[in-house]
Structures are given as structure tokens and as C-alpha cells.
Amino acid sequence: MLTGLMQDRPLLISSLIEHAVSCHPQGEIVSRTSEGPIHRCTYGDIHRRAKQLAKALTALGIQPGERVGTLAWNGYRHLELYYGVSGMGAVLHTINPRLFPEQIAYIVNHAADRFLFVDLSFVPLVEKLVDTLPTVHGVVVMTDRAHMPDSAIPGLLCYEDLLGAHDSDYQWPQFDERTASSLCYTSGTTGNPKGVLYSHRSSVLHSWAACAVDGLAVGAGETALLVVPMFHVNAWGMPYAGAMCGAKLVLPGPALDGQSVYQLMRDERVTLALGVPTVWLMLLQYVDTAGVLPREELCLRRVVIGGSSAPRAMSERFANGFGAFVVHAWGMTEMSPLGTVCNLLPKHDGLPLQQRLAVHEKQGRAVYGVDMKIVDDDGVSLPRDGKAAGHLLVRGPWITSGYYRGEGGEILDADGFFDTGDVATIDADAYMQITDRSKDVVKSGGEWISSIAIENAAIGHPAVAEAAVIGTPHAKWQERPLLIVVRKAGHELSRESMLQFLGGRVANWWLPDDVVFVEELPHTATGKLHKLKLREMFSQYRLPTSA
Ligand code: AMP
């Protein structure tokens, strides 16, 4: 082999913010703060303060490779931690504050975090836990002196004081691009959370995929609202991709209700918004009740929806009510998270809306870097015909090779593929569609019924706020679907009219055997339907069709 003669510059996270400063120094970061007011700064400010932070962390004794935890909303100080901690060679451990306190204690201890940086809202939580966190040497509140809370946490530090004690005369160290940069625990529904440890290389490569036109197509002309939290899978890599391309970033802080999100979209002229379906449901409900006019008042062009399936009715609402195009995307914590993005092909140009919406229901095509296949229970590859559904396996340079500290053992097969736990079809144009999590598939008489397909059809009914399908035992068919529905406030809906609505929208033999109505559905810490809990809630339930 002949070695190429190209420079071997490491792909480091610090190079992203350096690039932003050199090419987009005035690129704006707008944050709604925990203290209340809107804060504005530039990539130049973030860079300067991230360097001050790196010096402060060094003075606190943080060594390269050590973990620094954050319990924080989306905001500029969190962004400074993204660059300051990883840039100096330490590991940014973003913690999901919506986890149960015992789970938070477990992951802080498992990660052996040395310091915790926390937003004001999470000080009471840390106060309760701090005695159970022996590796934590100190807690820093991400605020200024004037807002420092009274707290029983010993030696509580103030973020602005820490930064104020250092200048920004600092050179980012150069090191191997495979060095760990950040850590995020998966909120598995069973067992303890497992850590996914990203590297500088994986994060930079992933940013290119995010910026690519057939990825999320983010560029300097974009104003991107990150409703997706910075404590979950690095906010889908957007804090890095934003610096790579100089996009204006809008960070909503703790206010994720429909009205606050709408106001930020309007006031900051947001063109691209990213989030999970549950936050868009809140936004759409606000628009329904507040009498606002998104088409006239906003300049939203695209909404990236991932984390759970984007129902067709939601894409239609954004198209008709906002004039915005839904970009359906799929991925997971283990994949940094980007796997597929649903952009249209030239053959879809000029198609009527309803036909385009049918394409948008799919999770999309793999971005370069993600190698994907579907297999049956015996590991045999299935055809890409849009019909055969199988276990979805992936491999690539931003996909995990194993969990932190070896939890879960060997997780790749002999060819290096990781089983996502999702079941999917892939069609002849390479569009992948998730039909279920493998443990949520309804197995009826040896055939698989997609719970997601029924849920998405049900949500299309104007009286349905949310819907979930679980498999319930059946004497003849082994399992049959049970549909559990939350009605919209003030709407009537009967079992019969729900079933009638679904007839024709899903295959006849997929029609649920029963419909029950509840006040609310359980969700996981990342906003997904909590099917395990639902199955527990309905464990005593017997289908009327099962003798
Ligand atoms: P997490 O690691 O918590 O981000 O969860 C990843 C899982 O969320 C995936 O394995 C899928 O089951 C689910 N998921 C993510 N995006 C989508 C999507 N667009 N449609 C359906 N399920 C999704």
C-alpha cells in the first residue's frame, strides 16, 4: 500500500468553534435563560468564554479524560461547556434531569463525574443527591453571583465567578481525534442506563453529515431553534454542526410550552426547528387555541422531527398551517444520533401534497457514513422491497462499538453491525420505515402488526390527542392490538367511531380488537411513549374478542 500525502490534522471539537470564530464571528447564539431574560452573544463570545472555562477547569484540577457532568437546559453557558470541557480533553457528561433521582445518582457514580455544572432549576435536585455522589468534588451553579441560591451543598461554586477569575489566553491542546469527548446515557426502559461515549472524530464526522444537503442541510443562512435538549444525544449534534456552518442558534432554556416556543420562533425569525413529536403537539395545541397565524407571523421553513415517529397528520399541519416542510429523521443515542433523514428525490418533484406526505411518513434514507440492513430472526438479509420488515442493523464511524465500562458486553456482530432494536422496512429507493421497536411489535398469528402504523393513523382523527397500541394476549391469535387513546379536551369520541375511522386506513386484520380511553399516557424521560409501563398498566386487561 502507498500512504497518501495528505496532512493528518486531527478532527477535534475545538476546531469547530475555531472555524466558527474565523468565518462566522458574528453568528448569533440566542438563549432564553433560567433567570428569565433573553441573552444574546456570538460564536466569538462562546469561544472566548469556553477558553476561560478551560482554564478554570484546569485550575480546579480537572485532568484530560475526566468526566464533567451537566444538569442543564439549552443555553449559552451549556454551549460553553460543550466546547470548554471537550476542547481541553475532558469528557462532557450531559445528564437527563428528567430521569428518576436514583437513576441520576447511578449514572453520575457510574461515570465518576468530578464536577457537576447545574442550572438554577436543578440545584434542589442535586442538594438531595449530593451525599450519595462520592466522586463529585464540587458543584457549580450556572449563573452569576446575584442569582446564587442559598443552598446546603457544601462549597457551592458560581459559574460567572469561576470564569471571571481567568482570561482567555489559552491554546486548545492537540491530541488524538479518537479521544473521548462526551458521554450520554441511554434511558433504556429496562435495566440500568448505559453510557455511550462519543469521540472528537465521531462528533466532527457527524457534524458534516448534519450539514450535508441530504442530511439536515444546515448552513450559515439558517436560524435553528434547538427544542431538542442539549442533555440528550448532544441535541442531535446541532451545537457542533451549528459552529461548523455558522448557523444562528436559538436555545429555548426551560420554557418548552407551546406559547414560549411559538414566541421564540416569531421573535427570532426561526427558519429551522428541531424536536420530538411531543413538543410539536404542545405547539400545535397552542396554535389551535391562541388564534395566532403561523403562516403570516413565522418564517419557519423546515421542522426536523425525530425521536419518535412523525405522524402524517402532524406533517400535514405543518405544511398547511405553517407552510413548513417536515424533515423526518431517525437515529438513536448509540448513533450520535443521525441515521436516516427523509429528504425527497427528484422523482417526487411536483407530486400532490398527499403523495409527498406518504413519503414523509418514512424515516428516510441513510446518510453517508451509516451502513444499514434489515435481517430476519436468523440474521438473513431481507429484500429492500418496502414490505419485508426485519431487525434493523447499522454500522459506521459515529455508531457505538460498546457501552461505557463494558456494560452489556459485546454488542456488535461478526461484521461489526449493531442491532438497533428497531424493526423496519427499506424500499427500493432506500427509504427506511420504522414499524416498531422489536419488543413492541404485536405478534398476531405468526404475522407482525406495526403498533406505530396504527398509532399514526389514530392520531389523524381530529378528536385524538395521543394514541398508543400494545399487544395483548389472545387465545387464538397469541396477541392482538389494543388501542389506548387520550381524547382532545372538549372532544367526544366513541370506541365505534374510532374503529370506523381506522377502517380503510390500516389493513383490516390490523384493526385493534378494542379501544380504551385514558386521561394521559406514560412517557419516558426522553418523551417517548413508555410501552413497558403501559403493558404493566394493562396487564390485567382481557380483550373482549379473546374467549
Ligand atoms: P434514543 O436513544 O433515546 O434517542 O432512542 C432511540 C430510539 O428512538 C430508536 O431506536 C427508535 O426506536 C426511536 N426513534 C428515533 N427516531 C425515530 C423516528 N423518526 N421514528 C420512530 N422511532 C424513532
Side-chain angles (χ1 to χ4, degrees), residues 143-377:
T143 191
D144 54 17
R145 177 55 46 194
H147 291 89
M148 277 301 279
D150 277 336
S151 165
I153 301 173
L156 199 63
L157 296 166
C158 166
Y159 185 89
E160 291 300 334
D161 285 357
L162 269 189
L163 257 64
H166 298 274
D167 62 27
S168 58
D169 182 14
Y170 179 83
Q171 283 288 321
W172 297 113
Q174 298 293 299
F175 41 76
D176 189 326
E177 65 186 20
R178 287 165 299 185
T179 303
S181 57
S182 66
L183 176 65
C184 179
Y185 280 72
T186 59
S187 38
T189 42
T190 50
N192 280 322
K194 294 197 261 318
V196 178
L197 190 60
Y198 309 102
S199 70
H200 285 257
R201 173 184 154 81
S202 70
S203 305
V204 173
L205 291 175
H206 182 268
S207 307
W208 262 308
C211 291
V213 173
D214 281 328
L216 301 181
V218 194
E222 204 84 72
T223 297
L225 172 67
L226 311 192
V227 188
V228 50
M230 290 169 77
F231 56 71
H232 184 54
V233 217
N234 302 322
W236 299 350
M238 283 299 294
Y240 305 129
M244 179 178 264
C245 68
K248 171 175 167 183
L249 297 182
V250 182
L251 308 174
L256 302 176
D257 59 285
Q259 180 173 8
S260 305
V261 167
Y262 187 87
Q263 282 170 354
L264 262 189
M265 283 181 164
R266 186 193 57 208
D267 298 348
E268 298 303 326
R269 314 302 293 151
V270 167
T271 56
L272 171 74
L274 305 95
V276 298
T278 25
V279 299
W280 302 133
L281 281 179
M282 291 194 287
L283 175 74
L284 295 174
Q285 271 164 22
Y286 168 74
V287 168
D288 281 344
T289 51
V292 287
L293 299 169
R295 246 181 199 281
E296 279 90 84
E297 294 170 353
L298 306 183
C299 50
L300 193 65
R301 289 194 296 252
R302 294 183 301 145
V303 185
V304 179
I305 305 186
S308 304
S309 167
R312 185 187 183 119
M314 188 175 277
S315 302
E316 195 165 2
R317 280 293 309 275
F318 277 116
N320 291 332
F322 291 64
F325 169 75
V326 162
V327 181
H328 199 180
W330 164 86
M332 57 195 312
T333 309
E334 288 87 339
M335 299 177 68
S336 300
L338 216 48
T340 62
V341 183
C342 192
N343 288 304
L344 298 183
L345 291 170
K347 69 191 258 186
H348 302 118
D349 281 353
L351 282 184
L353 178 65
Q354 288 307 325
Q355 287 179 39
R356 275 185 285 133
L357 288 174
V359 184
H360 289 304
E361 274 186 280
K362 304 197 171 196
Q363 276 72 6
R365 293 146 46 84
V367 290
Y368 169 77
V370 175
D371 195 2
M372 206 164 76
K373 65 177 178 181
I374 44 172
V375 300
D376 66 14
D377 284 341

